[in-house]
Amino acid sequence: MNPLVRRAAVLAIACSTLAGLTAVSGAAASAASAAPAFPPLNPAALQAAIQTRPGDDAAGDIVRVGEPGVLWTGSTVDAETGRQIPPDAHFHAGSIAKTFETVVILQLAAEGRIDLDQTIQHYMPGLLPHKFAPITVRQLINFTSGLPDVDEGAPPVSTDQVIATRYTYRTFDQIIQETLRPAGRPGPGPHFAPGTEQEYNSLGFRIGGALIEHVTGHSYKQELTARVLRPLHLTQTSVPEDDPVMPRPYLHGYMTDDEGRPIDVSEQGGDPSNLISTPADLDHFITALMQGRLLPPAQQNELFAIPTDSTGQPLPFVNGSSCPKVACFGAGLMSTKLPNGVVLWGKTGHDDGYANGMFATRDLSIRAVYSVSNLSVDFSAPSPLSQRLIEAVLTPAK
């Protein structure tokens, strides 16, 4: 993900895409998940919801929605090519990859190879400058590390610069060092004491990727493939590393350049945690995750554990609108309470030209995956498609 896109995404990753909904935590989340089932899927309402409209800042989308025993898939026409988008098209998943990475870390914790309460400074001495207090692995993956974000303090870049440099690829170490020890300017410091607040952050997951490689002696790609992709038969999901070529068919991602022209940015660089997937594969992944097929019970609970203070209250959420003032993220997942009282768990993700979401209830009474060919780099704005999908899912068929 390029710096301009990443810094915009930090402002509002999840709740901005589910505008007006409320995150919950702890026992409230569990209770809400037991709410009455959703009405049967309404194909007409879903089809109407996914159609791109003026003001969407989108060229098209693909969507997959499921209830027990029922599946609906849909797609639109690509506004730039005029061709129907295949419902099984591949796309850059963006920060949905954080959930995959979290699963690998939690599996290593279950094996006793990583202690969630041990510090990053213990595992990788010297990685963080001395200005940073000890940060535990758990704090990395539940967004309470207090770390600055990727490339924080770097000079702003234009959309044209993002487009021109979209093939840039950096290793985990390059991202970490260029953020914390940048050439020609002071490095950023901590935002808060670890474990005292929650804030959306991507640097922690680059450090988490480096930790996986350090502990296992294998590349991140090797570990994710062996532990998640291959066991779940996610044959259409890949970790492309520095290969920019998209597997076919794929959803074309576009960015609007400084002259207002849509530019195809489907091929792009990034870092070792890059993930390309399809709606079906992400549906299979979140289904397996909610069913407990990837993690033992203790580590499974970490996904849904909203961090709290010494009194048991959720930590404050700061510097963004991903959560409504209080923490809503567990380890690699966020919670969102719907108007009907049911809680969704999942993750959004953005890459240049793409805005995506993957959500489900813990009992899998509803699950949904979407990817939008996103013309805008302003990810702080709510996603009209995701809001319309929520309304369609809650609308009974007439």
Side-chain angles (χ1 to χ4, degrees), residues 291-323:
Q291 290 173 337
R293 291 161 51 196
L294 288 167
L295 296 167
Q299 286 70 39
Q300 181 82 355
N301 290 339
E302 296 285 345
L303 299 172
F304 311 108
I306 304 298
T308 57
D309 61 20
S310 58
T311 69
Q313 296 302 306
L315 293 179
F317 187 87
V318 298
N319 300 329
S321 55
S322 295
C323 305

Side-chain angles (χ1 to χ4, degrees), residues 257-300:
D257 70 9
D258 291 343
E259 295 183 4
R261 300 171 301 186
I263 306 297
D264 193 324
V265 295
S266 306
E267 294 190 349
Q268 53 190 260
D271 65 64
S273 67
N274 288 354
L275 192 74
I276 293 173
S277 193
T278 64
D281 268 16
L282 291 184
D283 185 10
H284 295 331
F285 169 73
I286 198 166
T287 296
L289 189 62
M290 295 300 167
Q291 290 173 337
R293 291 161 51 196
L294 288 167
L295 296 167
Q299 286 70 39
Q300 181 82 355

Side-chain angles (χ1 to χ4, degrees), residues 64 87-91 93 96 100 228-230 232-238 275-289 294 358 367 369:
R64 180 181 174 101
D88 61 346
H90 297 78
F91 54 88
I96 288 175
F100 283 74
V228 180
L229 306 188
R230 191 175 297 131
L232 293 183
H233 305 288
L234 303 182
T235 58
Q236 301 306 307
T237 301
S238 59
L275 192 74
I276 293 173
S277 193
T278 64
D281 268 16
L282 291 184
D283 185 10
H284 295 331
F285 169 73
I286 198 166
T287 296
L289 189 62
L294 288 167
M358 171 190 73
R367 58 192 200 277
V369 177

Side-chain angles (χ1 to χ4, degrees), residues 62-79:
I62 49 178
V63 176
R64 180 181 174 101
V65 182
E67 291 182 346
V70 182
L71 178 67
W72 184 88
T73 62
S75 66
T76 67
V77 168
D78 183 320

Side-chain angles (χ1 to χ4, degrees), residues 24-28 138-139 142 144 194-198 304-317 326-330:
V24 299
S25 62
R138 179 180 283 106
Q139 289 163 349
N142 71 6
T144 62
T196 62
E197 297 176 309
Q198 188 176 72
F304 311 108
I306 304 298
T308 57
D309 61 20
S310 58
T311 69
Q313 296 302 306
L315 293 179
F317 187 87
V326 296
C328 68
F329 285 93

